[in-house]
Amino acid sequence: MEKIKVTKFGGTSMADAKQFCKVKSIIESDDKRRCVVVSAPGKRHDDDNKVTDLLYLCQEHIKYSVPFDQVFDIIAKRYLDIVMELELNIDIKSYLDDIKSKISKNISIDYLVSRGEYLNAIIMAEFLNYDFIDAKEVIFFDNNGFIDLNKTHEVLSNKLSWGRPVVIPGFYGSTPDGKVKIFSRGGSDITGAIVARVAEAELYENWTDVSGFLMADPRIVENPKPIERITYRELRELSYMGASVLHEEAIFPVREVGIPINIRNTNEPDNLGTIITDDIKDEENQNIITGIAGKKDFTVIALHKNHMNSEVGFIRKILSILEVNNITIEHVPSGIDSLSIVISNQQLENKLNIIIDEINKKCNPDSINVYRNMALIATVGSKMAYTVGIAARLFTALADAGINIRMIDQGSSEINIITGIEGEGLEKAIRAIYNTFVL
Ligand code: ADP
Ligand code: ASP
Ligand code: MG
């Protein structure tokens, strides 16, 4: 059987009737585009709201027993306008009324926010004359909250084998007891990757509002250079560190079976965007670094203890304190007598004092310093491992920009140098690194 392309369209690509028309012409221009995954309507302009955010806002109103009708009406209007402008024959109002009546009956937050993609997929299916498949019936989580790929494969591949072109809502699936469960924010990218894997697609196209992956966040660096080709590994490092174009979890399902990802721009469909594959020949990539990304809101706990390295079990003791407190760690860079632990602030909540007390008691360090509100920057590139002097250039760039480095970590894979700096310097630091390596 001929291989298909799975196409995922993000929020801005699905924001209004005009965008729906662009999506339709993209799909109709290639008859391999037979499997479409969609997000909820995103922003139509900078000051607009994403429907998913409005659905969360609805939930907040309900939580504090404040009437939610006004917010719900704004959401409803988004869908009513799309259906009206596209002159579709769907009674979208009855779907909306049904959701509204269920809200008062205490539905789960996951069910409520998933309706953003559910309704958009129903409308897009009608517009394209494709079949609608509810993600609840084909994307399955296990009891631990992870994707159950075997069950998903069994059920979804059966449906796809019927040969009809389909639209599937992104962002959610169902638990073993049949309840709707969502992925984390931006999760429609994951749905698209899972569908591409099950469909054994030749390509996973991810259509968004930028012409591919750029070397830095375009909101920070003016007109960053586009990346034509990038490896899954490099991309994962960048996505994890805040290059939000593609959800970091969207890489595994396709990487394991070698399906390339192509990031494309719905507003500029002739641009070929970025191809993400396993291997890139050196001559294909002229730049020493592939990209830069950064993320705020980390805490670094820096420990110093003379002869730390020769003390058996020192690191284990520290890690077990964090484990007992149910905290995951981002990085643990270490020297001979020093060790830093990098934790996302979200993980720490109110546990910082408890942890510091326990470390002092059980590990007896010479000093312990805590840096709150740190930012991490990842400078990523497969070529870095065998190019001399990259780290020196990076640190000089930051020093020249007047930025203090609090932590350095070069992962053992050597495709990534992570620097920890004060949070407010993030944008300036990214621009300094970009200017050094790219301009
Ligand atoms: P979608 O709604 O289509 O899923 P997202 O908002 O999740 O789109 O991702 C696209 C956005 O990612 C872009 O509009 C851009 O602002 C942002 N972005 C952050 N870092 C980068 C980068 N390195 N390259 C391109 N876009 C980036
Ligand atoms: N609509 C969801 C969000 O805003 C999922 C997605 O767009 O991928 O996070
Ligand atoms: Mg996204």
Side-chain angles (χ1 to χ4, degrees), residues 8-14 39-40 42-43 50 185-186 188-189 206-220 224-227 238 242-247 263-264 266 274 291-293:
K8 176 258 168 178
F9 290 88
T12 44
S13 308
M14 299 288 298
S39 286
K43 292 185 178 193
K50 294 174 93 171
R185 293 302 303 266
S188 300
D189 291 335
N206 191 288
W207 292 83
T208 180
D209 62 350
V210 276
S211 294
F213 222 92
L214 306 168
M215 288 190 75
D217 189 329
R219 292 162 296 189
I220 298 177
K225 269 197 189 172
I227 305 171
L238 289 170
S244 57
V245 197
L246 191 74
H247 194 296
I263 312 276
R264 301 283 294 260
T266 301
T274 302
I292 312 155

Side-chain angles (χ1 to χ4, degrees), residues 8 10-11 39-41 50 52-53 56 113 117 170-171 184-189:
K8 176 258 168 178
S39 286
K50 294 174 93 171
T52 310
D53 291 334
Y56 274 108
V113 296
E117 346 292 289
F171 194 36
S184 54
R185 293 302 303 266
S188 300
D189 291 335

